[in-house]
Amino acid sequence: MADFSDIIDQVQMKEHMQNALKTDKVSHAYIISGETGSGKEFIARIFAKALQCENRQDKKGYVDGCDECPSCVKALSGSHPDIITIGHEKPGSIGVDDIRHGLRDDVVIKPYESKYKVYIIPEGEKMTPAAQNALLKTLEEPPSYIVIIILTNNINAFLPTIISRCIVLPMKPAQDDSIKKYLMEECHVVDYKAMLCASFARGNVGKAIDLASNEKFENLKDSTIELFAKLKNLEIHDMMDRVHEILAPSDEEDKASKKNIDPKSLEDFMDVFIFLFRDMLVYKATENEDHLIFSDKLSYIRSVTEKCDYEQIDQMLKNLEIAKNRIGSNVNIDLALELMLLAIKENL
């Protein structure tokens, strides 16, 4: 039974929603923007439940749904007739018919049993221009009882006229300490792993939760550090063979399309190097393990920092950034990684 107190950080967004609930000044349309997995729909449904609650209560300092009235029970089970999720037939786009049938033609019907009709539009960035124009007609003359909550990972996908008629609530990256605490207390993740997942997630709570239970990520992390540890004694072809093993796609579609590198794994692979080098610099400066992300690799980090000076570690980090920029500029990925590993090897 999720409540406002379960939302990690997002202080400004919670303040705005709380003010709307306390003053009963609710906008007819909101856009919640943030990365995939950041918790946009989680927040939208908590807000929708509180809006429809028949007996709002103070819970841990927040005005919230009671979780007990008929409205809350239906909201929690996903069966509330006045909380409507707009789906779409085509996986890649939300078409004009989806908006017309799911929303525009429906708003003329008053709420069945609550004060509001709340429409939630996940993946709002997939709305075609025609769908956005169909939505615009409702936004221009909204009935007093509707609340539209558009969720998106790309605010730039909307027409300026859509944005100007909505209150935009951007998701902020959650603090590492907040995510770590959540993973330890709610997901029962051990402290060093919680710290690791929080660091890699870069403020995205959903990504942190996924990483904490993702065996593939754990294997990738260990294999990448093992590659680095053996780099000094590997020939180029051996290096790249290991890279391809680590980054091999598990998705059947990618395999079928002959992709030999999984983009998500590549991102995590580069992040492992970034945080590894960061740990080396921190440990070399402080000889303190308390702030290490890879605290489970302390003995190895210590051994490298004894052999390498600051300039060598810093140069490795620069080699990594050069490779990331090359990949971002569509340079051949194999070539960019090969040049990166050879340059890193020279500093070991």
Side-chain angles (χ1 to χ4, degrees):
M1 293 186 182
D3 296 313
F4 274 97
S5 60
D6 296 311
I7 299 171
I8 299 174
D9 294 347
Q10 307 307 330
V11 175
Q12 290 174 311
M13 191 177 302
K14 285 190 283 191
E15 281 180 354
H16 185 97
M17 291 178 174
Q18 284 291 297
N19 187 57
L21 291 166
K22 289 172 184 174
T23 61
D24 212 25
K25 293 180 180 177
V26 180
S27 173
H28 64 274
Y30 298 88
I31 295 175
I32 300 179
S33 66
E35 291 182 352
T36 300
S38 56
K40 300 183 293 292
E41 187 162 354
F42 179 72
I43 293 172
R45 295 201 178 278
I46 289 171
F47 186 38
K49 181 189 69 169
L51 282 172
Q52 304 291 43
C53 179
E54 299 164 18
N55 182 30
R56 290 177 197 156
Q57 296 179 0
D58 189 295
K59 290 186 185 175
K60 299 181 179 178
Y62 295 103
V63 174
D64 227 322
C66 67
D67 293 338
E68 295 174 354
C69 69
S71 178
C72 282
V73 170
K74 289 174 187 174
L76 290 165
S77 67
S79 60
H80 199 300
D82 295 322
I83 299 177
I84 300 137
T85 303
I86 305 298
H88 46 102
E89 290 185 9
K90 294 180 180 177
S93 69
I94 300 173
V96 64
D97 288 340
D98 297 317
I99 295 299
R100 279 180 184 155
H101 301 323
L103 193 153
R104 203 181 77 182
D105 295 346
D106 188 71
V107 297
V108 296
I109 304 168
K110 290 186 177 180
Y112 292 99
E113 56 186 56
S114 299
K115 183 176 180 179
Y116 301 102
K117 283 187 88 169
V118 181
Y119 295 88
I120 298 174
I121 308 178
E123 301 180 304
E125 70 281 352
K126 291 184 177 180
M127 278 191 285
T128 63
Q132 291 188 47
N133 280 316
L135 176 62
L136 191 58
K137 288 182 168 62
T138 300
L139 293 178
E140 286 171 340
E141 297 179 9
S144 60
Y145 49 78
I146 73 161
V147 178
I148 299 170
I149 306 175
I150 306 168
L151 313 178
T152 185
N153 60 19
N154 181 12
I155 191 71
N156 297 317
F158 297 106
L159 299 171
T161 44
I162 294 281
I163 296 172
S164 68
R165 286 168 172 80
C166 299
I167 289 178
V168 179
L169 301 173
M171 299 283 291
K172 305 290 186 186
Q175 298 294 314
D176 283 1
D177 286 346
S178 301
I179 297 177
K180 179 184 175 184
K181 182 182 178 186
Y182 175 84
L183 291 176
M184 291 176 66
E185 293 180 358
E186 302 298 326
C187 304
H188 309 295
V189 177
V190 295
D191 57 354
Y192 80 87
K193 188 173 181 180
M195 180 63 187
L196 172 68
C197 295
S199 299
F200 269 75
R202 289 193 169 92
N204 187 319
V205 178
K207 182 176 180 181
I209 294 169
D210 179 60
L211 291 174
S213 59
N214 190 330
E215 190 177 328
K216 184 183 176 185
F217 170 70
E218 190 72 21
N219 292 336
L220 181 144
K221 178 204 75 172
D222 290 338
S223 298
T224 303
I225 294 175
E226 183 185 354
L227 168 66
F228 178 79
K230 294 180 177 178
L231 203 55
K232 187 80 173 166
N233 301 314
L234 292 177
E235 298 296 328
I236 294 175
H237 65 276
D238 291 325
M239 269 192 288
M240 295 313 295
D241 284 347
R242 291 183 186 229
V243 167
H244 284 133
E245 280 177 25
I246 295 168
L247 303 182
S250 55
D251 188 283
E252 293 303 319
E253 251 182 62
D254 283 345
K255 286 180 182 175
S257 65
K258 302 280 193 292
K259 286 184 181 175
N260 61 354
I261 286 179
D262 173 49
K264 178 68 182 64
S265 295
L266 176 60
E267 183 183 328
D268 289 338
F269 175 79
M270 300 299 268
D271 281 351
V272 170
F273 274 105
I274 287 173
F275 288 122
L276 182 62
F277 297 151
R278 174 257 180 212
D279 273 1
M280 289 174 182
L281 288 171
V282 168
Y283 189 77
K284 191 160 188 72
T286 65
E287 293 192 1
N288 188 330
E289 63 188 88
D290 292 343
H291 301 292
L292 297 184
I293 293 166
F294 294 118
S295 56
D296 58 325
K297 306 293 182 184
L298 173 61
S299 60
Y300 177 66
I301 290 168
R302 184 189 291 123
S303 70
V304 174
T305 56
E306 287 172 356
K307 292 181 289 185
C308 298
D309 57 29
Y310 286 110
E311 288 72 22
Q312 288 171 298
I313 300 170
D314 188 53
Q315 186 57 50
M316 290 186 233
L317 201 48
K318 287 175 181 173
N319 297 142
L320 181 73
E321 289 301 325
I322 290 169
K324 287 185 75 174
N325 290 334
R326 284 172 173 161
I327 293 168
S329 303
N330 292 319
V331 171
N332 179 279
I333 293 174
D334 274 13
L335 178 60
L337 292 177
E338 186 177 304
L339 291 172
M340 177 190 83
L341 293 171
L342 285 172
I344 289 172
K345 183 178 177 181
E346 286 180 10
N347 284 287
L348 288 172

